[in-house]
């Protein structure tokens, strides 16, 4: 008898033997480590999990619900080692499997070198998002100076604030230890520049008075500077590429089919709902009525406002969701973070509780309203029809 | 034979991206289709290699994907070429023709 562990692969549950679970965990961990620094790491891992899930599904049947350890091992062998292509460390394991021998994807440029210094947001002792902190660390200057610079830039039509927000969006947080290490200290390219410049300067001083030596020094110095510029450009390119990926992953629109007319309609609906809501709040506060219906005597105004806020959230939620999905066309973006789900669930629960409370408190009124509802809908349809016929 | 196999490892490595471009160009394909098509050939590869490669190619804007429902299971990513990818494929094909012509013509006595 073996212990079974239930796992979740991209949203589907699978039951594995414990040994199989350990093997799979080790495989995915090593894949994660190998893709360290790859901007698409999470996406690749998700793809791999999905592929494993597909293979597991093919193994299971009506009478078979548990995946055995040896089957997990087989699937892992089929998947092959995950190769980032930037290191030589993958060669050994790749050679172990004759089928995949040496077929390295060659993502050499994409998988940025592990020790490269990159710009990150740093949370420790950050004031807002840690953009200034990260910049200060990257450029090796005091954070106060960076903050003052942003404040100064803000004086020009708020440019500093805008820049800050944009940077806050595109620069990733330093989360892992490796990223934190990459975030602190100046970039080696910059350090190298300072070293070379200083050395070159002193050497240049030595040649003072000797024209030929001076000319030679100048040529060498220029050459070095050119090399440095190339390094700098490459580093900059790496940084910006990472930012572009972050932008695409989390914020950039990716319109779905039909978005050109769906999006304006949904936006308009949202605005209408919003205006109605503001009107309702206004009338509740000033006249104690909502769309002409008076509040029951025992409901205080503040409670009505809270209820309105809740109702508004509930009404708006599907609209928001639809708009978002049209805008982002399939890829989830930030909206579907666990926090949002929690919040939506909370609103729904409170709304349902409110409905239950209403039904319990005014059973007759609720009953009558529900009874009258078909009739009222009928009347409304009639009214619209009559209006249409008159046109 | 295995000796030749080993000697050609770096070449196969380099050609894999080209072949993936070529396979993707035929139609919208799913990652498993790519693996299946390569499976019978000298270029047989595995998910562990293919996914990082595809993501790199997508980052270089050679391919793009869209989510599509599948008959069984969750939606899948279907890959297709971008215009840049198509361009690159064309260039690579031309270059490949040249190489293959060179290989043929070298060492052969003329006339």
């Amino acid at each position: 008898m073996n212990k079974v562990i239930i796992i979740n692969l991209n949203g589907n549950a699978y039951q594995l033997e414990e040994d199989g679970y350990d093997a799979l965990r080790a495989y995915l961990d090593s894949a994660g480590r190998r893709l360290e620094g790859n901007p698409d790491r999470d996406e690749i891992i998700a793809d791999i999990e999905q592929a494993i899930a597909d293979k597991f599904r093919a193994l299971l049947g009506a009478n078979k619900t548990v995946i055995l350890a040896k089957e997990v091992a087989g699937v892992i062998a089929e998947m092959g080692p995950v190769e980032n292509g930037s290191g030589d460390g993958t060669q050994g394991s790749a050679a172990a499997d004759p089928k995949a021998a040496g077929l390295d994807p060659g993502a050499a440029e994409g998988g940025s070198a592990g020790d490269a210094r990159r710009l990150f947001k740093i949370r420790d002792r950050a004031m807002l998002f840690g953009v200034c902190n990260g910049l200060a660390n990257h450029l090796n200057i005091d954070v106060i100076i960076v903050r003052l610079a942003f404040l100064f830039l803000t004086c020009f039509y708020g440019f500093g604030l805008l820049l800050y927000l944009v940077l806050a969006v595109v620069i990733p947080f330093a989360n892992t230890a490796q990223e934190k290490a990459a975030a602190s200290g100046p970039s080696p390219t910059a350090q190298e520049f300072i070293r070379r410049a200083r050395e070159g300067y002193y050497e240049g001083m030595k040649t003072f008075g000797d024209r030929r030596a001076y000319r030679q020094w100048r040529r060498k110095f220029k050459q070095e500077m050119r090399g440095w510029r190339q390094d700098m450009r490459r580093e900059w390119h790496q940084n910006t590429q990472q930012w572009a990926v972050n932008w695409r992953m989390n914020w950039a629109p990716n319109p779905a089919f039909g978005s050109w007319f769906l999006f304006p309609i949904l936006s308009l609906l949202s605005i209408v709902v919003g205006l109605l809501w503001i009107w309702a709040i206004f009338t509740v506060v000033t006249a104690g009525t909502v769309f002409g219906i008076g509040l029951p005597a025992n409901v205080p105004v503040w409670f009505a406002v809270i209820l309105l806020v809740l109702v508004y959230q509930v009404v708006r939620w599907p609209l928001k969701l639809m708009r978002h999905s049209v805008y982002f066309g399939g890829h989830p973006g930030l909206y579907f973070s666990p926090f949002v789900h929690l919040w939506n669930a909370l609103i729904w629960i409170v709304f349902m509780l409110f409905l239950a409370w209403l039904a319990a408190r005014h059973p007759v009124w609720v009953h009558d309203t529900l009874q009258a509802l078909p009739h009222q809908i009928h009347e409304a349809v009639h009214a619209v029809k009559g209006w249409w016929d008159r046109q | 034979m295995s000796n030749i196999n080993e000697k050609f490892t770096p070449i196969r490595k380099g050609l894999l991206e080209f072949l993936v471009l070529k396979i993707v160009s035929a139609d919208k394909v799913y990652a498993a289709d790519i693996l299946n098509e390569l499976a019978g050939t000298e270029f047989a590869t595995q998910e562990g290699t293919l996914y990082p490669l595809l993501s790199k190619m997508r980052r270089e804007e050679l391919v793009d994907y869209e989510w599509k429902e599948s008959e069984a299971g969750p939606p899948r990513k279907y890959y297709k070429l971008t215009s840049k990818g198509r361009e690159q494929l064309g260039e690579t094909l031309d270059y490949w023709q040249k190489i293959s012509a060179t290989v043929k013509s070298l060492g052969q006595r003329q006339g």
Side-chain angles (χ1 to χ4, degrees):
Chain A
M1 198 172 78
N2 281 320
K3 212 169 139 190
V4 162
I5 289 178
I6 298 175
I7 59 158
N8 173 356
L9 279 179
N10 264 11
N12 277 307
Y14 295 91
Q15 303 181 55
L16 306 186
E17 274 186 351
E18 197 176 11
D19 291 348
Y21 167 79
D22 290 341
L24 186 63
R25 181 79 267 157
Y27 176 75
L28 287 174
D29 282 350
S30 102
R33 269 199 308 281
R34 284 192 183 166
L35 294 170
E36 197 79 62
N38 188 322
D40 292 333
R41 179 180 148 189
D42 293 348
E43 204 184 341
I44 297 172
I45 297 278
D47 283 345
I48 283 167
E49 284 188 7
Q50 185 60 55
I52 292 174
D54 283 345
K55 287 182 196 290
F56 281 171
R57 199 174 314 111
L59 286 170
L60 295 174
N63 295 317
K64 180 170 165 53
T65 54
V66 176
I67 294 153
L68 305 178
K70 65 168 195 280
E71 288 169 334
V72 174
V75 166
I76 288 173
E78 253 180 73
M79 295 291 297
V82 173
E83 293 162 21
N84 197 18
S86 56
D88 302 303
T90 56
Q91 293 298 342
S93 47
D97 189 328
K99 218 173 113 196
L103 278 189
D104 209 29
E109 290 158 66
S112 46
D115 60 341
R117 297 255 177 266
R118 286 226 315 271
L119 187 50
F120 283 102
K121 284 182 284 191
I122 299 174
R123 279 201 195 89
D124 306 336
R125 279 173 295 148
M127 275 181 133
L128 287 169
F129 294 107
V131 170
C132 291
N133 226 345
L135 264 175
N137 257 315
H138 192 64
L139 302 172
N140 204 19
I141 47 180
D142 200 286
V143 65
I144 296 283
I145 297 172
V146 181
R147 283 184 183 140
L148 283 177
F150 269 102
L151 275 182
F152 178 72
L153 283 175
T154 304
C155 298
F156 301 99
Y157 305 102
F159 179 72
L161 190 68
L162 204 71
L163 185 70
Y164 186 92
L165 289 177
V166 169
L167 288 178
V169 167
V170 298
I171 301 176
F173 273 116
N175 284 326
T176 66
Q178 202 191 4
E179 282 169 353
K180 276 182 186 150
S184 61
S187 97
T189 318
Q191 266 175 339
E192 184 62 15
F193 167 68
I194 293 167
R195 192 190 63 76
R196 276 190 202 166
R198 193 181 290 149
E199 224 168 63
Y201 177 72
Y202 284 131
E203 249 174 61
M205 291 295 277
K206 268 190 269 171
T207 61
F208 196 73
D210 183 347
R211 274 183 77 98
R212 239 184 65 191
Y214 173 73
R215 212 175 296 140
Q216 230 169 21
W217 165 78
R218 235 180 66 167
R219 197 181 309 129
K220 200 167 142 243
F221 189 66
K222 266 191 180 162
Q223 217 169 21
E224 287 204 336
M225 285 299 116
R226 208 174 300 133
W228 169 79
R229 253 203 319 269
Q230 265 164 9
D231 284 356
M232 207 60 176
R233 210 171 292 145
R234 196 169 49 233
E235 198 172 274
W236 172 249
H237 185 73
Q238 227 171 44
N239 262 329
T240 48
Q241 213 177 24
Q242 171 72 46
W243 297 350
V245 168
N246 285 340
W247 174 265
R248 237 190 343 241
M249 290 281 283
N250 294 327
W251 303 84
N254 178 15
F257 174 74
S259 59
W260 59 273
F261 73 92
L262 272 178
F263 195 68
I265 286 176
L266 289 172
S267 299
L268 210 69
L269 265 174
S270 297
I271 292 170
V272 167
V273 170
L275 286 177
L276 278 177
W277 178 66
I278 290 169
W279 174 244
I281 295 262
F282 179 72
T283 54
V284 148
V285 173
T286 55
T289 60
V290 181
F291 304 125
I293 305 163
L295 291 178
N298 47 8
V299 175
V301 169
W302 60 265
F303 187 65
V305 171
I306 291 177
L307 282 183
L308 276 174
V309 171
L310 271 172
V311 170
Y312 173 64
Q313 291 289 345
V314 171
V315 170
R316 207 176 58 134
W317 180 39
L319 272 177
K320 223 159 101 182
L321 212 69
M322 267 154 72
R323 239 178 104 204
H324 183 274
S325 67
V326 165
Y327 188 65
F328 284 92
H331 90 74
L334 282 183
Y335 195 77
F336 295 89
S337 71
F339 173 74
V340 175
H341 283 306
L342 195 74
W343 176 238
N344 284 334
L346 209 71
I347 288 171
W348 264 107
I349 287 168
V350 174
F351 186 64
M352 288 300 144
L353 280 177
F354 164 66
L355 286 185
W357 172 81
L358 201 69
R361 177 115 195 190
H362 308 280
V364 181
W365 179 74
V366 170
H367 183 253
D368 288 353
T369 313
L370 284 177
Q371 285 269 307
L373 209 56
H375 179 66
Q376 276 175 356
I377 291 172
H378 201 71
E379 268 189 354
V381 170
H382 255 291
V384 171
K385 233 163 126 186
W387 173 79
W388 183 254
D389 287 343
R390 276 195 304 280
Q391 298 298 308
Chain B
M1 187 61 204
S2 73
N3 195 14
I4 294 178
N5 198 30
E6 231 162 74
K7 274 187 182 169
F8 275 82
T9 297
I11 292 177
R12 283 204 309 271
K13 212 192 282 184
L15 278 178
L16 189 60
E17 182 176 329
F18 167 44
L19 291 176
V20 170
L21 267 183
K22 201 153 179 292
I23 293 170
V24 173
S25 77
D27 200 4
K28 281 179 189 169
V29 292
Y30 163 53
D33 299 338
I34 301 176
L35 288 173
N36 282 341
E37 209 157 322
L38 288 172
T41 70
E42 303 79 22
F43 295 92
T45 187
Q46 296 172 297
E47 281 96 337
T49 306
L50 184 66
Y51 283 121
L53 176 61
L54 280 172
S55 96
K56 181 201 140 215
M57 287 166 72
R58 194 191 62 114
R59 210 163 48 230
E60 290 170 354
E61 293 173 346
L62 299 175
V63 298
D64 199 6
Y65 64 75
E66 55 188 71
W67 290 99
K68 266 203 187 149
E69 298 296 329
S70 59
E71 323 83 65
R76 292 165 165 177
K77 282 176 180 173
Y78 280 83
Y79 287 86
K80 60 171 187 236
L81 285 196
T82 61
S83 54
K84 193 175 160 195
R86 212 166 286 286
E87 212 173 274
Q88 175 134 340
L89 177 65
E91 282 168 19
T92 321
L93 276 173
D94 288 346
Y95 192 64
W96 178 250
Q97 300 288 353
K98 247 193 254 170
I99 289 178
S100 131
T102 310
V103 170
K104 242 186 213 165
S105 68
L106 281 182
Q108 282 187 347
R109 276 174 209 288
Q110 301 292 318

